[in-house]
Amino acid sequence: MPGGNCQRQEWWHGKFRCCGYRLTLGREAILDILSKSEGHLSAEDVYMKVHPKYPNVGLTTIYRTLNVLSNLGIVCKLDFGDGRSRYELAEGTEDTHHHHHLVCTNCNKVIDYTDFIDEELELLRKTEKGLGAKYNFKITNHIIQFYGLCDKCSGKE
Amino acid sequence: MPGGNCQRQEWWHGKFRCCGYRLTLGREAILDILSKSEGHLSAEDVYMKVHPKYPNVGLTTIYRTLNVLSNLGIVCKLDFGDGRSRYELAEGTEDTHHHHHLVCTNCNKVIDYTDFIDEELELLRKTEKGLGAKYNFKITNHIIQFYGLCDKCSGKE
DNA sequence: TTATTAATGGAAACCATTTTCATTAAGGAG
DNA sequence: CTCCTTAATGAAAATGGTTTCCATTAATAA
Ligand SMILES: [Mn+2]
Ligand SMILES: [Mn+2]
Ligand SMILES: [Zn+2]
Ligand SMILES: [Zn+2]
């Protein structure tokens, strides 16, 4: 089996090491799940997916790790207003790309979209610069989200 | 005293009546507070302001009323990521105008801004139309928020 | 005025997340 | 490799904003 035990370093190992974080089984498992699933998992979702393979990784560790990953900029913590935080791999990691979200207020379906992203980015740049100057505010982050009814939910009225 | 006891109807009475909601002392008190204070009050903030004058209005009623007002479109429910919902009079009521928010992630200060609002609205219209068509999604609402450090918090590093 | 039933307050429940604390194990030194 | 320091962990308990329950009150229409 070629490449079998060449223990290639995952891309996140560097970030961990240089910040003094230890590489534990739980953390690897969580990152592994996040890479393989697509988007918007809650802490419990992650737990459910990690548990079968690693039954001794507790929910507390999921929360703690997601927090660390979020601080490291490896994952994004999202809020779609359903009372629990959701997480996705951050832009730039793996093959993730900059996008925003369309949220159905009825069934909680979430659509990633990238349409008009260039115009958005242009406006964001302008706004960040303008507001930064005017209010002396150092902007590090932004949220753009649209809420409404998805095709199914608006159909059945 | 001219106009003293002419019991003029507040602007929200109509909205209440036509939806079958009763006009209670608690609801009037809460709307009164919301009109007089400016922006971003938590349920408990409202409770604190209502309590001195109406000690028999409970926190539960504050939550329930804010919920009703939110459903009626009279107030906006906001989330700045500090673990509690915040409320402000909706656009179009009183002298409130369309604006978005700048949130300090360190001290939780919130700045209302209206700069670039025209470009924003233009983009929003375009996006809503485009996404509505593409995903057959009926957009009713949006969030735009910037996060970062305010002048004081970025100064003291 | 009376009847109907929406609205209410207080206590308890809810539930995502955090804290506590005793135990485990990652990773550097030798 | 072994030993040592201490970061990381799991389970249980605590936290805290919000909701639910239920007996009581009061807004509104007849
Ligand atoms: Mn996404
Ligand atoms: Mn505001
Ligand atoms: Zn839907
Ligand atoms: Zn600040």
Side-chain angles (χ1 to χ4, degrees), chain B residues 21-22 24 27 56-58 60-61 64:
Chain B
Y21 288 112
R22 294 181 180 175
T24 66
R27 287 174 176 174
N56 41 354
V57 171
T60 310
T61 291
R64 276 188 292 228

Side-chain angles (χ1 to χ4, degrees), chain A residues 76-129:
Chain A
C76 259
K77 189 174 183 178
L78 306 170
D79 173 17
F80 298 139
D82 66 340
R84 72 197 59 199
S85 293
R86 302 196 164 264
Y87 303 84
E88 71 181 8
L89 243 43
E91 171 186 9
T93 55
E94 297 275 289
D95 56 347
T96 52
H97 48 293
H98 191 76
H99 67 272
H100 290 286
H101 298 107
L102 215 53
V103 184
C104 178
T105 49
N106 185 243
C107 70
N108 293 321
K109 178 179 177 184
V110 177
I111 297 174
D112 290 342
Y113 76 87
T114 51
D115 314 70
F116 308 103
I117 215 78
D118 290 338
E119 288 98 317
E120 258 183 40
L121 288 179
E122 178 55 28
L123 175 62
L124 289 176
R125 254 190 300 276
K126 201 166 151 189
T127 309
E128 291 192 7
K129 197 173 165 193

Side-chain angles (χ1 to χ4, degrees), chain B residues 101-115:
Chain B
H101 297 109
L102 215 56
V103 184
C104 178
T105 49
N106 185 243
C107 70
N108 293 321
K109 178 180 177 182
V110 177
I111 296 175
D112 291 340
Y113 76 87
T114 51
D115 312 71

